[in-house]
Amino acid sequence: MTENVNNIDSDVPICKEESEKTLLKPALPEDAFLKFVHPVLSDMQTTMEKNVKILDNIHHGQSIQDVIEKLEQVILYDEEEDEANGQNRDPPLQLLDDDGKMAILAHGIAAYMSTLDHVHLRRLTTRIVSDTTLWLSRLFRFFESSAFFHDDYREGLLRVCKLILYKRYSKYGTEGFEALYPRPPVLYLSAAARGGMGQYLCAQLGLPSSCVSVVPCGTESHNRFKMDAKKLMRLIQDDVAAGKVPILVVANAGTPVVGQVDSIKKIQEICKAHDVWLHIEGHNLSTLTLMTVPSSLMTAKTADSMTLTLGAWLGIPALPYITLYKASEPALVHAAGLSSYNSHLRLSCLPLWLCLQKLGYDGITARIQHSCELSTKLHKALDESQAVKVLSKEKTKEALGEDVLSFTQLLNRALNASAMFDMVPPTVVFRYVGDTTEQRVVVAPYAENAEEKNNLLHNPSYLDALNNWLGQTLQRDVQEVLIDIIDLEAEGICIRYCPLENAHIIGTEMRDVEEFITYLREKICILNATVQQKALFREMVIVDKNLRLVDIGNWAGLGAVQYIPEVLRDHLETLSEVECTELNKVNLELLHQLKTADSAFTLGETDDGLACIRFGMVTEETDTEDLIRMVHDTGNEVEESSKFVEQMAEVVKKGIEAANKDLELENVEKIMQEGVLRYVPIVGSLMNWWSPPPKEVGIRGRTFDLASGTIESTENTYKYHMQIQHNLPPNQKLQVVTSHKVNEVSPLKSSPSQSYRSSDDDGSGSQHEELNSSSSSLQYDRQSKYVAKQTPDSSLAENDVEEAIETAAVAEEECEEAQKTNKDKSVKY
């Protein structure tokens, strides 16, 4: 960069703008060479030029129309390459209804309201905040509470932690961490809580990581993602005995992923006994709005604070998160940052204020109730299936044969809030585990890891592959119901559906869930059939000598096999590189022919990098024996075709060697008859002019018949100017005649004979004899013993003809080399 500036002639005046451009633009080679040498530098140059252009536009200013168009391009085009090519993708923007448009419009109104007079603005924001807080406290049955509105989900819990520190440590405001050192505080989080929550709280509060205690979850499948209340009790007692101060427990009314509900009632009793603040978060808090019986109003308050994601539950974007907390001293609340005198910050709740009035109580409860009905419908259908394991809740009493209240009856009962959390889970997480009522699938005892794989339904990797296939199929074919494929550490691959997060965005209706359930049942039947027939498949493949079973851990289909030709069967463990190539070639050709009959066959790869054939999913009507028999028979046809070509090439090679020996002997005999002087330069020409050699004397070509294995002379061919085939119809002859000047091929679909002819130059100068000395022919017999093995309707006939033609070309080249060798020997002799 410095060199480029110093090389500028000092006599030439440079304006300031041009000098800035020169400094910003480095001295780089041409684009083509730069991309070849270092693509990263090319991208840096392109980015720098673009930024310089943007700076120039900012310097001069742009019209509002240009700015809006630029924003539109940024939204519609993901990559600059797409923008250059004019390829606009679907914008990743949510389609908005009237409520969503109002929320978006509210942000612009809030910005415009900030221009009001300070006194009037403070009075206006106070009313908006107080109205919104009152409505939310009544809506979620959390009376005598205050609300904090924030954009980061973790910000509300952070401010609550500060409030607790100010309340429990009177000198925390003046001494800071020194007030905490004698008796450090302890925060209790579940092992199933949001990732990174403990580290975030410690970093923002300035606490060591030892101040966060992770409470383990249960060990059973129904509570594997729930906080263990007994272990929480033990941890609190140990910390109190160690001189620490338990200040906060964060419980989940629906864990972030699985949706299991902690034992809220037990945890509440523990916190009350040890004077610990209880904070609750999760999707199940939305069900508090569905409790309509007056007697349940006072029982809904189950915690000291809670965080609500109302925007996600209603399907309305740009709504802030809400943290409702128990009212406390105003000074402590202000010190913790839960309240602010800044009117501009308090206006963040304006979109929520407008949407609450637009929807009303009935509109909000209708949306939440619709989502809960969708999840309840799916839960009920999954409880009826023996092949599915539901992780988000335990099986209902109805599934166990007992009476249970309907969803509408639940809403009309006076229930405790924690009971409502357990009975109406808005998140559904399930996993296919196989039909346990069917007969167990047994692997051959001599197979690899037979003890571990004796039951395929206990093989975690195979179950993960089945669930992955099920989830991808549902995502592709039922797009009206948005599901997620998740990987749980304790379970494996699972399928998650949470209508609270997406039902209102894409408009999922009850009929969509019913169609989803129908389609899910069909796929479960396919999975059951595949698992049941997998044992028969493995047994048949192991018995077949030409098929080798291949274990592919992430393949959900029936299995994978590899066809082994007979010549490679005895030394599979010591295959050479050439043999591996031939093995791949056979399996690829086999796959190509199988896919013409059934598209369920796909290409796979073994651990050794060899090609194999994968079988897809099957139904109850599929005959596994027919599939394996088809693979076996087709593989035999491919192998026989390969053997025929190899044997034909070997026979042709031997015929060429025999013909060359005959030609060499005939050439020596000819020299002895005509004399050596005819082959001496200049003298030979004079002698041939003085005494021309007889036309009948010369070396005749040779024809090699593959059917009989005999070598014959081509004397009759050149004598009668035609090639004679004995006992063969003309339409079954394939003749390839080649020379230095002419290449003629008489095409034929099924040629019954094949012959090779080669000759040497007799030096007579005759055009007829030159054609004889420099030509060769190949005749291909389809009725030979090799072709007799093929079926009449074999599709490999045309391929065999092409192979024969290629063999003839190779034979011609070897014949020409033999001719040159014979000439050199004649001159030396």
Side-chain angles (χ1 to χ4, degrees):
M1 181 181 297
T2 308
E3 240 176 277
N4 190 25
V5 176
N6 294 335
N7 288 336
I8 301 176
D9 191 356
S10 58
D11 296 335
V12 180
I14 301 177
C15 63
K16 180 180 180 182
E17 183 178 357
E18 292 180 353
S19 63
E20 290 177 354
K21 292 182 180 180
T22 305
L23 289 172
L24 290 173
K25 184 176 181 181
L28 296 174
E30 295 181 359
D31 293 341
F33 177 76
L34 185 61
K35 290 182 179 179
F36 175 77
V37 175
H38 207 314
V40 177
L41 293 180
S42 176
D43 296 339
M44 292 176 59
Q45 182 187 18
T46 303
T47 305
M48 183 177 294
E49 291 177 353
K50 187 190 307 180
N51 293 335
V52 171
K53 185 177 180 181
I54 294 175
L55 291 176
D56 291 341
N57 294 333
I58 293 176
H59 179 72
H60 299 292
Q62 301 180 69
S63 62
I64 186 172
Q65 183 178 0
D66 295 338
V67 175
I68 296 299
E69 290 179 356
K70 184 63 177 178
L71 177 61
E72 182 180 0
Q73 291 178 358
V74 172
I75 295 175
L76 294 180
Y77 299 96
D78 288 343
E79 302 291 342
E80 295 297 334
E81 290 78 6
D82 297 338
E83 182 178 354
N85 298 331
Q87 300 177 357
N88 60 327
R89 305 180 181 179
D90 295 335
L93 295 176
Q94 175 184 336
L95 296 177
L96 300 177
D97 54 4
D98 294 339
D99 302 323
K101 294 177 182 178
M102 175 175 291
I104 300 298
L105 180 62
H107 286 275
I109 297 176
Y112 188 57
M113 287 173 58
S114 63
T115 61
L116 293 173
D117 179 73
H118 180 69
V119 177
H120 181 58
L121 180 61
R122 184 175 60 184
R123 184 167 57 251
L124 178 63
T125 53
T126 301
R127 177 181 176 181
I128 293 174
V129 171
S130 60
D131 290 347
T132 307
T133 302
L134 179 62
W135 295 338
L136 290 173
S137 61
R138 291 184 176 181
L139 183 64
F140 290 94
R141 311 290 190 262
F142 199 157
F143 298 101
E144 299 179 359
S145 64
S146 300
F148 172 64
F149 308 98
H150 47 96
D151 296 328
D152 189 350
Y153 182 84
R154 303 168 296 182
E155 187 68 22
L157 180 58
L158 175 64
R159 301 296 177 90
V160 169
C161 290
K162 290 183 177 181
L163 176 62
I164 301 172
L165 290 176
Y166 279 110
K167 290 183 65 176
R168 299 297 297 270
Y169 296 90
S170 58
K171 298 182 179 180
Y172 179 70
T174 56
E175 298 181 1
F177 183 75
E178 293 181 357
L180 310 179
Y181 182 74
R183 301 185 62 191
V186 183
L187 313 176
Y188 299 91
L189 302 179
S190 172
R194 293 178 181 269
M197 179 65 77
Q199 291 84 346
Y200 175 80
L201 294 176
C202 291
Q204 297 297 322
L205 296 174
L207 300 177
S209 58
S210 59
C211 292
V212 174
S213 179
V214 178
V215 183
C217 297
T219 57
E220 302 295 333
S221 59
H222 64 276
N223 62 358
R224 190 168 293 172
F225 302 93
K226 298 170 58 175
M227 181 186 295
D228 193 332
K230 294 182 180 179
K231 294 181 180 179
L232 173 64
M233 181 70 174
R234 192 177 304 113
L235 288 173
I236 292 177
Q237 292 175 352
D238 293 343
D239 291 334
V240 171
K244 298 181 180 180
V245 181
I247 62 172
L248 174 67
V249 174
V250 181
N252 290 292
T255 52
V257 179
V258 180
Q260 290 187 357
V261 181
D262 294 337
S263 302
I264 302 297
K265 187 175 182 180
K266 295 181 180 179
I267 296 175
Q268 186 181 15
E269 294 175 356
I270 295 173
C271 292
K272 186 176 182 181
H274 294 83
D275 191 19
V276 179
W277 186 288
L278 177 60
H279 179 85
I280 300 179
E281 55 186 25
H283 285 324
N284 292 53
L285 290 173
S286 61
T287 58
L288 293 175
T289 62
L290 306 179
M291 302 170 64
T292 57
V293 179
S295 59
S296 66
L297 295 181
M298 301 307 297
T299 61
K301 184 178 178 180
T302 58
D304 298 305
S305 62
M306 60 178 63
T307 299
L308 311 174
T309 57
L310 191 59
W313 299 341
L314 302 179
I316 301 177
L319 292 184
Y321 296 104
I322 308 157
T323 296
L324 298 178
Y325 60 94
K326 184 171 57 177
S328 182
E329 299 180 12
L332 300 180
V333 171
H334 180 69
L338 289 171
S339 66
S340 175
Y341 299 118
N342 191 336
S343 301
H344 301 283
L345 297 178
R346 303 180 73 184
L347 278 177
S348 61
C349 68
L350 179 62
L352 186 60
W353 184 80
L354 292 176
C355 291
L356 289 176
Q357 294 188 89
K358 170 67 171 55
L359 291 173
Y361 175 80
D362 294 336
I364 294 173
T365 55
R367 291 199 176 192
I368 296 177
Q369 181 176 348
H370 175 69
S371 299
C372 294
E373 288 175 351
L374 296 180
S375 62
T376 303
K377 179 71 175 180
L378 183 57
H379 262 126
K380 183 178 179 181
L382 294 175
D383 288 339
E384 298 173 356
S385 176
Q386 298 294 331
V388 174
K389 177 182 179 181
V390 181
L391 303 176
S392 51
K393 60 172 292 188
E394 299 183 56
K395 283 186 176 293
T396 60
K397 295 181 179 180
E398 184 179 6
L400 300 176
E402 303 178 14
D403 296 333
V404 65
L405 297 176
S406 63
F407 181 77
T408 306
Q409 293 173 339
L410 283 175
L411 301 183
N412 295 326
R413 290 292 184 95
L415 298 175
N416 185 273
S418 59
M420 178 66 76
F421 294 158
D422 294 327
M423 294 181 180
V424 189
T427 304
V428 184
V429 178
F430 62 96
R431 170 180 169 86
Y432 174 81
V433 294
D435 194 350
T436 55
T437 59
E438 297 292 336
Q439 185 178 2
R440 294 291 184 182
V441 182
V442 181
V443 182
Y446 47 83
E448 183 181 0
N449 298 332
E451 295 182 358
E452 298 179 3
K453 299 180 180 179
N454 194 31
N455 190 342
L456 292 176
L457 298 180
H458 290 169
N459 187 355
S461 61
Y462 182 63
L463 282 178
D464 287 345
L466 294 177
N467 283 276
N468 194 18
W469 175 86
L470 178 61
Q472 292 180 358
T473 306
L474 294 174
Q475 286 179 336
R476 180 193 62 198
D477 298 336
V478 190
Q479 300 182 359
E480 293 79 9
V481 178
L482 293 182
I483 61 173
D484 298 319
I485 301 175
I486 59 177
D487 188 1
L488 300 179
E489 182 178 357
E491 295 290 340
I493 301 296
C494 301
I495 299 174
R496 178 179 183 268
Y497 175 56
C498 184
L500 271 177
E501 298 176 353
N502 50 52
H504 300 293
I505 296 177
I506 64 173
T508 305
E509 300 294 339
M510 183 61 70
R511 63 176 180 273
D512 298 327
V513 175
E514 293 175 353
E515 294 177 0
F516 178 84
I517 294 173
T518 302
Y519 192 80
L520 176 62
R521 288 171 178 170
E522 295 176 358
K523 297 306 174 184
I524 289 177
C525 292
I526 294 177
L527 290 174
N528 290 336
T530 303
V531 173
Q532 292 172 10
Q533 298 194 36
K534 193 176 181 67
L536 177 61
F537 170 81
R538 298 175 68 94
E539 181 180 352
M540 293 187 63
V541 171
I542 292 174
V543 173
D544 197 315
K545 296 181 179 180
N546 289 102
L547 299 179
R548 184 174 70 169
L549 186 65
V550 178
D551 290 329
I552 301 180
N554 58 351
W555 181 245
L558 197 60
V561 299
Q562 188 179 45
Y563 184 84
I564 308 299
E566 185 177 358
V567 295
L568 305 178
R569 194 183 304 166
D570 299 332
H571 57 285
L572 287 176
E573 303 297 333
T574 59
L575 293 177
S576 63
E577 185 176 354
V578 176
E579 291 174 336
C580 291
T581 303
E582 292 297 327
L583 181 61
N584 286 338
K585 184 178 179 181
V586 171
N587 281 272
L588 290 175
E589 178 64 25
L590 174 59
L591 176 63
H592 176 71
Q593 297 190 24
L594 290 175
K595 292 187 71 172
T596 59
D598 192 344
S599 60
F601 295 101
T602 56
L603 178 64
E605 184 176 351
T606 64
D607 296 336
D608 301 332
L610 300 177
C612 64
I613 301 170
R614 298 185 300 187
F615 289 68
M617 311 298 290
V618 297
T619 60
E620 296 179 356
E621 294 78 13
T622 304
D623 192 342
T624 306
E625 296 182 3
D626 290 344
L627 289 178
I628 297 178
R629 191 180 302 111
M630 179 176 64
V631 174
H632 177 84
D633 296 342
T634 308
N636 285 340
E637 293 178 3
V638 174
E639 183 181 2
E640 291 297 332
S641 174
S642 177
K643 286 182 179 180
F644 169 74
V645 174
E646 294 176 358
Q647 293 176 358
M648 185 184 67
E650 185 67 23
V651 171
V652 171
K653 181 179 179 181
K654 293 180 179 179
I656 292 173
E657 294 176 355
N660 286 334
K661 291 180 180 180
D662 291 346
L663 290 174
E664 184 177 354
L665 294 175
E666 188 177 350
N667 188 34
V668 173
E669 184 180 355
K670 177 184 176 184
I671 293 174
M672 296 299 297
Q673 291 177 358
E674 297 182 359
V676 183
L677 293 177
R678 290 186 182 275
Y679 296 92
V680 178
I682 302 176
V683 178
S685 300
L686 181 60
M687 189 172 181
N688 289 334
W689 172 77
W690 182 263
S691 176
K695 294 183 178 180
E696 297 298 330
V697 180
I699 299 176
R700 303 304 179 186
R702 296 294 186 272
T703 299
F704 178 64
D705 193 350
L706 289 177
S708 61
T710 59
I711 300 176
E712 299 177 356
S713 175
T714 59
E715 182 176 0
N716 293 332
T717 302
Y718 291 99
K719 182 176 181 181
Y720 299 106
H721 299 282
M722 62 182 298
Q723 188 165 355
I724 301 175
Q725 301 287 337
H726 300 284
N727 300 326
L728 295 177
N731 61 348
Q732 291 185 348
K733 296 179 181 179
L734 173 66
Q735 181 180 2
V736 181
V737 181
T738 62
S739 66
H740 296 291
K741 298 181 179 179
V742 181
N743 290 332
E744 297 179 356
V745 179
S746 55
L748 176 58
K749 292 186 179 180
S750 59
S751 303
S753 65
Q754 181 171 354
S755 60
Y756 173 78
R757 181 179 72 247
S758 175
S759 64
D760 198 358
D761 188 8
D762 59 355
S764 62
S766 173
Q767 182 179 359
H768 172 72
E769 292 179 354
E770 285 180 2
L771 179 63
N772 174 41
S773 63
S774 61
S775 63
S776 63
S777 66
L778 178 66
Q779 297 169 355
Y780 178 54
D781 188 357
R782 294 293 293 178
Q783 296 176 355
S784 62
K785 60 180 180 179
Y786 307 111
V787 184
K789 296 181 181 180
Q790 303 294 333
T791 57
D793 57 345
S794 176
S795 61
L796 301 174
E798 297 181 0
N799 295 334
D800 296 340
V801 173
E802 294 177 359
E803 293 286 346
I805 295 175
E806 294 178 359
T807 307
V810 176
E812 177 195 359
E813 295 178 359
E814 295 183 358
C815 180
E816 292 177 357
E817 293 179 359
Q819 292 173 7
K820 294 179 181 179
T821 304
N822 292 335
K823 287 181 181 181
D824 296 339
K825 290 181 179 180
S826 300
V827 175
K828 293 179 180 179
Y829 181 78

